[in-house]
């Protein structure tokens, strides 16, 4: 019963590579590799040519109970806020502020603080109740559709769910599932002045045709 082993088993989805799992849980490749070999020997997971898969779901349940107890005991950090959703075993994608945050590799933050840190994710509408129950097990508040006032939630980290009736389009960036770049840019363009630095970063890195120069925009106005 080890927290790193628990994170690996909880975050692993069928077909994941060791590199993807290490990115999901924010742990070095070599350390994850070592633990995967131990878990494989213990027949808790299998490391196959087609990727990792969980074998012992009773142990996975016990790991979830253990991690829930650990997170309830201590306040969830901002780093852990991006690990916990991977434990749910349900499809999701970061959106809104977090789409900008992920696509800029953590280089852009806006309208968040250590005392008020909402995390924005798209989920399937059919899974909303399960997500709320899941985050409750980790002692974290959840709202649907709208960011709550900081005074209305316990703790600094909380989750805002955006239910999707259709499928969720996902791209993977640094081990994080996020809405596609064009959708992220469209969201940012709706309140462009606030997201101008992020748009500049994205234009430079991804060679996207965005007129992201705030000075030129101001001049043109």
């Amino acid at each position: 019963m080890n927290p790193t082993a628990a994170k690996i088993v909880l975050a692993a989805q069928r077909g994941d590579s060791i590199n993807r799992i290490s990115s999901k849980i924010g742990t070095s490749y070599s350390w994850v590799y070592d633990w995967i070999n131990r878990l494989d020997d213990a027949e808790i997971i299998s490391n196959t040519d087609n990727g990792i898969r969980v074998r012992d779901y009773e142990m996975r349940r016990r790991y979830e109970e253990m991690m829930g107890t650990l997170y309830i005991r201590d306040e969830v950090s901002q780093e852990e806020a991006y690990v916990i959703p991977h434990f749910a075993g349900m499809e999701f994608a970061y959106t809104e502020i977090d789409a900008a945050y992920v696509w800029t590799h953590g280089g852009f933050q806006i309208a968040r603080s250590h005392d008020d840190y909402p995390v924005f994710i798209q989920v399937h509408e059919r899974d909303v109740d399960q997500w709320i129950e899941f985050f409750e097990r980790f002692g974290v508040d959840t709202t649907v559709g709208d960011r709550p006032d900081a005074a209305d939630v316990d703790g600094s980290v909380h989750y805002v769910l955006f239910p999707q009736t259709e499928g969720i389009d996902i791209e993977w960036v640094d081990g994080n599932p996020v809405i596609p770049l064009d959708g992220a840019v469209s969201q940012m363009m709706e309140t462009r002045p606030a997201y101008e630095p992020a748009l500049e970063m994205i234009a430079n890195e991804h060679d996207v045709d965005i007129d992201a120069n705030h000075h030129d925009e101001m001049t043109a106005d």
Side-chain angles (χ1 to χ4, degrees):
M1 298 300 288
N2 175 278
T4 300
K7 288 180 180 179
I8 290 169
V9 173
L10 292 174
Q13 296 294 310
R14 181 181 289 270
D16 275 353
S17 65
I18 296 175
N19 188 58
R20 174 163 288 182
I21 293 172
S22 69
S23 296
K24 283 181 177 181
I25 67 174
T27 304
S28 71
Y29 178 93
S30 60
W31 192 235
V32 171
Y33 179 87
D34 180 63
W35 268 107
I36 282 178
N37 284 336
R38 299 189 206 183
L39 292 163
D40 196 0
D41 290 342
E43 299 184 349
I44 296 171
I45 65 171
S46 291
N47 185 7
T48 72
D49 291 340
N50 295 319
I52 306 298
R53 70 178 181 87
V54 176
R55 296 177 63 183
D56 189 337
Y57 281 90
E58 173 59 23
M59 182 60 78
R60 188 189 190 282
R61 183 190 64 78
R62 292 171 62 191
Y63 276 143
E64 184 176 327
E65 290 176 353
M66 181 186 80
M67 294 306 293
T69 300
L70 290 175
Y71 282 118
I72 286 175
R73 186 183 64 190
D74 299 317
E75 185 170 344
V76 173
S77 69
Q78 292 177 20
E79 291 77 15
E80 292 163 337
Y82 294 95
V83 175
I84 290 175
H86 290 290
F87 299 164
M90 292 179 282
E91 194 172 45
F92 72 97
Y94 292 110
T95 188
E96 302 292 329
I97 293 173
D98 282 301
Y101 180 72
V102 171
W103 277 109
T104 60
H105 310 287
F108 178 81
Q109 282 280 26
I110 187 173
R112 292 195 285 204
S113 68
H114 290 291
D115 297 327
D116 179 25
Y117 200 90
V119 178
F120 302 86
I121 61 175
Q122 284 188 358
V123 301
H124 292 290
E125 187 173 48
R126 64 177 182 269
D127 295 335
V128 167
D129 289 342
Q130 289 178 265
W131 277 106
I132 293 172
E133 292 172 4
F134 169 77
F135 287 128
E136 282 179 352
R137 294 200 295 272
F138 285 80
V140 185
D141 284 352
T142 313
T143 54
V144 179
D146 294 309
R147 176 179 182 171
D149 188 277
D152 295 332
V153 295
D154 293 327
S156 58
V157 170
H158 51 103
Y159 293 91
V160 183
L161 308 181
F162 291 84
Q164 306 296 306
T165 55
E166 304 295 333
I168 300 174
D169 292 329
I170 295 173
E171 294 191 36
W172 286 87
V173 178
D174 303 330
N176 291 304
V178 62
I179 64 171
L181 184 59
D182 58 350
V185 169
S186 294
Q187 287 182 351
M188 287 184 267
M189 293 295 282
E190 292 176 4
T191 52
R192 178 167 181 161
Y195 284 98
E196 199 68 46
L199 290 167
E200 289 186 26
M201 293 181 211
I202 288 169
N204 291 333
E205 177 177 352
H206 299 284
D207 195 27
V208 177
D209 186 16
I210 303 171
D211 173 19
N213 187 296
H214 189 63
H215 176 74
D216 288 349
E217 182 177 337
M218 293 288 287
T219 302
D221 290 341

